[in-house]
Amino acid sequence: MNRPRWAPENIDVERPSVARMYDYYLGGSHNFAVDRAAAQAMIAAVPEAPLMAQANRAFLRRAVQFLVDSGVRQFLDIGSGIPTVGNVHEIAQRLAPESRVAYVDLDPVAVAHSREILAGNDRTTILHEDLRNPERILHDPRVRALLDFDQPIAVMAVAVLHFVPDSDDPAGILATLREAVAPGSYLVLSQASDDGRSDEERHEADEIYQRTDSPLSVRSRAALTSLFAGFQLVDPGVVWVPQWRPETPEAADDAERAVFMGGVGRLGD
């Protein structure tokens, strides 16, 4: 296949990427035929798949708006994905132009395209790193130059934890991040949940993502809530993402169809 200009030379264009599948769900153009085929198979198994991505992106927007309204001006977005309309810096800097955003992602397409979009924006940076290496993220010179760890930071792990199995100790990863940030900081989490899903749907989704670069590790509401250890959940707690501070009551109808659960927690003073 012809490799587009935005695709780095070192990526595997024959294996589906979860970041490029997510881009496809959101209507983006940074995906290959193999990604579209895997995404379409997922949609056949779980028709709500595009809704999941859209509902999660809307949750991210509402969470960032809440954080800015709460006085947060620094964001560490880990697993940020391929940039599409409605990125954290777009939302935060529109509301508070002084906001600073450090993006982190493992996918080389996401990182390469982020660098293009963020060129000239000196209040942002992008780091090619894995959530499972929190110490490397926290001590990277670019992150340290941009963010002041003596002031509150919003740590965001949105639509990424379901690619971190329990064997990789997500609780320990989040504890490392929690211990590095100042009181008044926030944690924003969302991930796919298996609450209310049939065994057949779970099996089909697992089989599809086993063929990608990041197999799924879905979690229950209780399991996701436990990952907020050390943070105080803000209302309404961990819920289906359309139920998290919806802009209209109707927006939360049939919320479980979104498959994603999420919440926001605050680190006490």
Side-chain angles (χ1 to χ4, degrees):
M1 62 168 287
N2 292 325
R3 185 182 296 266
R5 181 182 60 83
W6 48 263
E9 289 293 331
N10 61 338
I11 66 169
D12 184 354
V13 299
E14 301 300 331
R15 187 180 189 188
S17 154
V18 296
R20 299 193 305 263
M21 289 171 66
Y22 194 75
D23 177 67
Y24 176 80
Y25 295 144
L26 288 171
S29 59
H30 288 76
N31 47 75
F32 302 125
V34 67
D35 307 308
R36 295 189 287 275
Q40 289 160 5
M42 182 65 180
I43 293 169
V46 183
E48 297 92 347
L51 170 65
M52 292 160 52
Q54 293 157 13
N56 191 69
R57 180 51 61 105
F59 163 73
L60 179 145
R61 174 175 49 78
R62 297 194 306 277
V64 172
Q65 290 172 335
F66 164 79
L67 293 164
V68 171
D69 289 344
S70 300
V72 174
R73 296 295 183 269
Q74 302 188 108
F75 299 82
L76 178 58
D77 185 2
I78 307 175
S80 50
I82 295 173
T84 55
V85 174
N87 288 310
V88 171
H89 77 280
E90 291 180 333
I91 303 163
Q93 292 179 351
R94 183 177 66 248
L95 299 170
E98 69 276 22
S99 297
R100 301 189 297 280
V101 182
Y103 289 112
V104 182
D105 205 274
L106 183 60
D107 185 273
V109 169
V111 173
H113 196 47
S114 295
R115 285 179 179 142
E116 289 187 13
I117 286 180
L118 300 175
N121 187 330
D122 62 3
R123 295 185 182 273
T124 64
T125 192
I126 175 69
L127 175 63
H128 187 197
E129 191 50 86
D130 192 326
L131 170 63
R132 287 165 286 202
N133 298 321
E135 292 285 0
R136 291 216 292 254
I137 293 170
L138 292 168
H139 294 101
D140 186 274
R142 289 160 292 184
V143 172
R144 287 286 165 173
L146 185 69
L147 303 182
D148 179 357
F149 280 78
D150 291 328
Q151 299 298 320
I153 294 172
V155 176
M156 311 189 69
V158 175
V160 66
L161 285 174
H162 43 245
F163 303 124
V164 180
D166 290 342
S167 59
D168 283 335
D169 190 18
I173 292 168
L174 294 173
T176 298
L177 294 166
R178 181 188 69 235
E179 291 164 5
V181 296
S185 294
Y186 286 83
L187 176 65
V188 182
L189 301 181
S190 75
Q191 78 147 80
S193 172
D194 56 0
D195 283 11
R197 313 308 295 182
S198 70
D199 290 341
E200 181 180 1
E201 284 179 321
R202 287 196 294 267
H203 178 72
E204 290 183 3
D206 285 345
E207 287 221 325
I208 291 164
Y209 276 88
Q210 284 292 336
R211 302 198 297 267
T212 74
D213 54 355
S214 298
L216 281 176
S217 295
V218 294
R219 293 184 175 88
S220 66
R221 184 197 306 264
L224 185 56
T225 300
S226 71
L227 295 178
F228 282 95
F231 291 86
Q232 181 177 0
L233 282 165
V234 302
D235 288 337
V238 174
V239 294
W240 298 112
V241 290
Q243 295 173 331
W244 198 88
R245 303 193 174 216
E247 292 169 341
T248 65
E250 297 78 17
D253 290 346
D254 297 323
E256 68 276 5
R257 292 180 59 232
V259 180
F260 279 86
M261 286 189 173
V264 176
R266 184 179 185 275
L267 187 61
D269 299 328

